[in-house]
Coordinates of all heavy atoms in Angstrom, one line a residue:
M1 N 100.7 130.4 41.4 CA 101.8 129.5 41.3 C 102.3 129.0 42.6 O 102.6 127.8 42.8 CB 103.0 130.2 40.5 CG 104.1 129.2 40.2 SD 103.7 127.9 39.1 CE 104.0 128.6 37.5
K2 N 102.3 129.9 43.6 CA 102.6 129.5 45.0 C 101.7 128.5 45.5 O 102.1 127.5 46.2 CB 102.7 130.7 45.9 CG 103.8 131.7 45.5 CD 103.8 132.9 46.4 CE 104.8 133.9 46.0 NZ 104.8 135.1 46.8
V3 N 100.4 128.7 45.3 CA 99.4 127.7 45.7 C 99.6 126.4 45.0 O 99.5 125.3 45.7 CB 98.0 128.3 45.5 CG1 96.9 127.2 45.8 CG2 97.7 129.5 46.4
S4 N 99.9 126.4 43.8 CA 100.2 125.2 43.0 C 101.3 124.4 43.6 O 101.2 123.2 43.7 CB 100.4 125.5 41.5 OG 100.8 124.4 40.8
F5 N 102.4 125.1 43.9 CA 103.6 124.4 44.5 C 103.2 123.9 45.9 O 103.6 122.8 46.2 CB 104.7 125.4 44.6 CG 105.5 125.6 43.4 CD1 105.9 126.9 43.0 CD2 105.7 124.6 42.4 CE1 106.6 127.1 41.9 CE2 106.4 124.8 41.3 CZ 106.8 126.1 41.0
A6 N 102.4 124.6 46.7 CA 102.0 124.1 48.0 C 101.1 122.8 47.8 O 101.3 121.8 48.6 CB 101.2 125.2 48.7
L7 N 100.2 122.8 46.9 CA 99.4 121.6 46.7 C 100.2 120.5 46.1 O 99.9 119.3 46.5 CB 98.2 122.0 45.7 CG 97.1 122.9 46.3 CD1 96.2 123.4 45.2 CD2 96.4 122.1 47.3
F8 N 101.2 120.8 45.3 CA 102.0 119.7 44.8 C 102.8 119.1 45.9 O 103.0 117.9 46.0 CB 103.0 120.2 43.7 CG 103.8 119.2 43.0 CD1 103.1 118.4 42.0 CD2 105.1 119.0 43.3 CE1 103.8 117.4 41.4 CE2 105.8 118.0 42.6 CZ 105.2 117.2 41.7
G9 N 103.3 119.9 46.9 CA 104.0 119.4 48.0 C 103.1 118.6 48.9 O 103.5 117.6 49.5
L10 N 101.8 119.0 49.0 CA 100.9 118.2 49.8 C 100.6 116.9 49.1 O 100.4 115.8 49.8 CB 99.6 119.0 50.0 CG 99.6 120.1 51.0 CD1 98.3 120.9 51.0 CD2 99.9 119.6 52.4
W11 N 100.6 116.9 47.8 CA 100.4 115.6 47.1 C 101.6 114.7 47.3 O 101.4 113.5 47.6 CB 100.3 115.9 45.6 CG 100.3 114.6 44.7 CD1 99.3 113.7 44.6 CD2 101.4 114.1 44.0 NE1 99.7 112.7 43.7 CE2 101.0 112.9 43.4 CE3 102.7 114.6 43.8 CZ2 101.9 112.2 42.5 CZ3 103.6 113.9 42.9 CH2 103.1 112.7 42.3
A12 N 102.8 115.2 47.3 CA 104.0 114.4 47.6 C 104.0 113.9 49.0 O 104.3 112.7 49.3 CB 105.3 115.2 47.3
L13 N 103.5 114.7 49.9 CA 103.4 114.3 51.3 C 102.3 113.2 51.5 O 102.5 112.2 52.2 CB 103.0 115.5 52.2 CG 102.9 115.2 53.7 CD1 104.3 114.9 54.2 CD2 102.3 116.4 54.4
A14 N 101.2 113.2 50.7 CA 100.2 112.2 50.7 C 100.8 110.9 50.2 O 100.4 109.8 50.7 CB 99.0 112.6 49.9
V15 N 101.6 111.0 49.1 CA 102.2 109.7 48.6 C 103.2 109.1 49.6 O 103.2 107.9 49.9 CB 103.0 110.0 47.3 CG1 103.8 108.8 46.8 CG2 102.0 110.5 46.2
F16 N 103.9 110.0 50.3 CA 104.8 109.5 51.4 C 104.0 108.9 52.5 O 104.4 107.8 53.1 CB 105.6 110.7 51.9 CG 106.6 110.3 53.0 CD1 107.7 109.6 52.8 CD2 106.4 110.8 54.3 CE1 108.6 109.2 53.8 CE2 107.2 110.4 55.3 CZ 108.3 109.7 55.1
L17 N 102.9 109.5 52.9 CA 102.0 108.9 53.9 C 101.5 107.6 53.5 O 101.4 106.7 54.3 CB 100.8 109.9 54.2 CG 99.8 109.5 55.2 CD1 100.5 109.4 56.6 CD2 98.6 110.4 55.2
A18 N 101.1 107.4 52.2 CA 100.7 106.1 51.7 C 101.7 105.1 51.8 O 101.5 103.9 52.1 CB 100.2 106.3 50.2
A19 N 103.0 105.5 51.6 CA 104.1 104.5 51.7 C 104.3 104.1 53.2 O 104.5 102.9 53.5 CB 105.4 105.2 51.2
I20 N 104.1 105.0 54.1 CA 104.2 104.7 55.5 C 103.0 103.7 55.9 O 103.2 102.8 56.6 CB 104.2 106.0 56.4 CG1 105.5 106.7 56.2 CG2 103.9 105.6 57.9 CD1 105.5 108.0 56.9
V21 N 101.8 104.1 55.4 CA 100.7 103.2 55.7 C 100.9 101.8 55.1 O 100.6 100.8 55.7 CB 99.4 103.8 55.1 CG1 98.2 102.8 55.1 CG2 99.0 105.1 55.9
A22 N 101.5 101.7 53.9 CA 101.8 100.4 53.3 C 102.8 99.6 54.1 O 102.7 98.4 54.3 CB 102.3 100.6 51.9
M23 N 103.8 100.3 54.7 CA 104.8 99.6 55.5 C 104.2 99.1 56.8 O 104.6 98.1 57.3 CB 105.9 100.5 55.9 CG 106.8 100.8 54.7 SD 108.3 101.8 55.2 CE 107.9 103.3 54.3
M24 N 103.2 99.8 57.4 CA 102.6 99.4 58.6 C 101.5 98.3 58.5 O 101.3 97.5 59.4 CB 101.9 100.6 59.3 CG 103.0 101.6 59.7 SD 102.2 103.2 60.3 CE 101.3 102.6 61.7
N25 N 100.9 98.2 57.3 CA 99.9 97.2 57.1 C 100.5 95.9 56.4 O 100.7 95.9 55.2 CB 98.8 97.8 56.2 CG 97.6 96.9 56.1 OD1 97.6 95.7 56.4 ND2 96.5 97.5 55.7
R26 N 100.7 94.9 57.2 CA 101.4 93.7 56.6 C 100.5 92.9 55.6 O 100.9 92.4 54.6 CB 101.8 92.8 57.7 CG 103.0 93.3 58.5 CD 103.5 92.2 59.4 NE 104.6 92.7 60.2 CZ 105.8 92.7 59.9 NH1 106.2 92.3 58.7 NH2 106.8 93.1 60.7
K27 N 99.2 92.9 55.9 CA 98.3 92.1 55.1 C 98.1 92.7 53.7 O 98.2 91.9 52.7 CB 96.9 92.1 55.8 CG 95.9 91.2 55.1 CD 94.6 91.3 55.8 CE 93.5 90.6 55.0 NZ 92.2 90.9 55.4
D28 N 97.9 93.9 53.6 CA 97.7 94.5 52.2 C 98.8 95.4 51.7 O 98.6 96.3 50.9 CB 96.4 95.4 52.3 CG 95.2 94.7 52.7 OD1 95.1 93.5 52.3 OD2 94.3 95.2 53.4

């Protein structure tokens, strides 16, 4: 369960990273 929560947190971090990438890329 602890590993599951850690992986879920990494998933949320990856979604946040995708939002940052989207903000930096004006074309796409």
Side-chain angles (χ1 to χ4, degrees):
M1 187 64 88
K2 291 178 184 178
V3 172
S4 174
F5 283 141
L7 287 169
F8 189 77
L10 287 173
W11 172 76
L13 186 66
V15 172
F16 180 71
L17 178 68
I20 290 174
V21 167
M23 285 185 249
M24 294 172 63
N25 188 343
R26 290 190 182 274
K27 181 182 172 199
D28 300 323

